[in-house]
Amino acid sequence: SAFCFAWMNAFVRLSGDLPFIEKSFFRNFVALLLALVMLLRLPGTSPRPTAERKSASLRLDCLPYLLCALLLAAAVSMMQLGLSPALTRQFATDTAAISHHVAWLLGLAAVAALIAQFGVLRPQRLTPMALLLSAGALMICGLAIMFAEQLWLFYLGCAVLSFGAALATPAYQLLLNDKLTDGTGAGWIATSHTLGYGLCALLVPLVSKSGAAAAALIIAAFFVAVLFTIISIFIWFNLKFSTADRAVNG
């Protein structure tokens, strides 16, 4: 939903000098159509089997999933806030050009998220654990590509990062739903996302005062993505050993 809002804002900014009411009407109308499309089931796909719910209260083994949600929100927020400073490497003080490219980058991020939704998530091509590991790898690769000063590479890195980030949320949501009830898990995930946005807000002044390069926020987002991947690998090992222990004891 965050990427869809980014896409919406990008097109509102690119629509030019139109009445605000007209922009709002068509923006909400398009959102309605997209929502209806998302509710439709693709031909030939079956609903995911309902996993056995174990608890309605938060336990210690749920914390890695919530930490992933926090780190994802922080990484994506830092990337979005770092777009304008990073673009000063190509456009210096040309604020009009920077604003134009930020709008296109946010739109590209939304397109990449939609491609992930229809190409990978809805057809259920990967397991939740594979989605989580793939998300971490793609986010690291995308942010690493954004270090480059070439504009086309910057766009490519943003698309790769956004594609990976779109895979992450349903991954840790499904994994957490195997441990908690749907409502409880969704509530804790939403709380973790909010804490991630708050963490980003705290880190931005620190990074800005460090006197680092124009891509400082992109670099910070890269290290947050690395930490996200480390937590994902920990979850994978934990699930792997838990399955092995159940097989031995069973």
Side-chain angles (χ1 to χ4, degrees):
S1 61
F3 285 118
C4 288
F5 278 116
W7 195 16
M8 174 191 70
N9 291 330
F11 277 100
V12 166
R13 297 178 68 177
L14 292 171
S15 61
D17 188 15
L18 294 176
F20 175 76
I21 298 299
E22 184 176 344
K23 290 183 179 180
S24 299
F25 174 80
F26 284 102
R27 176 192 64 188
N28 295 333
F29 183 72
V30 171
L32 173 63
L33 294 179
L34 288 175
L36 292 175
V37 170
M38 299 291 282
L39 291 175
L40 298 176
R41 184 183 301 170
L42 292 177
T45 59
S46 57
R48 184 176 182 269
T50 302
E52 180 184 355
R53 311 302 183 214
K54 296 182 179 180
S55 174
S57 60
L58 187 66
R59 303 192 308 273
L60 187 62
D61 59 349
C62 298
L63 294 182
Y65 306 101
L66 301 181
L67 186 56
C68 281
L70 185 151
L71 294 173
L72 174 72
V76 173
S77 298
M78 286 183 191
M79 182 276 291
Q80 292 179 344
L81 293 175
L83 292 177
S84 293
L87 287 170
T88 58
R89 297 175 299 176
Q90 292 87 8
F91 301 102
T93 58
D94 189 352
T95 56
I98 291 175
S99 178
H100 178 79
H101 282 283
V102 167
W104 279 110
L105 284 164
L106 293 176
L108 177 64
V111 171
L114 287 177
I115 292 174
Q117 174 71 28
F118 288 101
V120 178
L121 296 176
R122 296 196 68 188
Q124 301 177 14
R125 300 186 188 280
L126 297 174
T127 64
M129 195 65 250
L131 286 173
L132 192 63
L133 295 173
S134 300
L138 288 170
M139 288 169 61
I140 290 176
C141 291
L143 287 164
I145 295 172
M146 293 179 76
F147 292 164
E149 295 189 9
Q150 291 88 343
L151 190 60
W152 71 272
L153 285 175
F154 196 75
Y155 270 80
L156 176 63
C158 181
V160 173
L161 164 68
S162 303
F163 188 93
L167 302 180
T169 302
Y172 51 67
Q173 180 71 76
L174 290 172
L175 290 169
L176 187 60
N177 283 348
D178 289 338
K179 299 178 178 296
L180 299 174
T181 59
D182 287 338
T184 303
W188 281 109
I189 290 293
T191 301
S192 300
H193 286 161
T194 303
L195 292 175
Y197 300 139
L199 176 63
C200 173
L202 291 174
L203 291 178
V204 166
L206 296 177
V207 174
S208 301
K209 290 180 180 180
S210 65
L217 286 174
I218 303 296
I219 296 172
F222 173 83
F223 285 109
V224 173
V226 170
L227 186 56
F228 173 93
T229 306
I230 293 173
I231 300 298
S232 300
I233 295 173
F234 170 79
I235 293 173
W236 176 65
F237 273 112
N238 188 44
L239 291 177
K240 183 179 179 181
F241 289 131
S242 297
T243 303
D245 288 341
R246 285 196 298 267
V248 170
N249 296 330

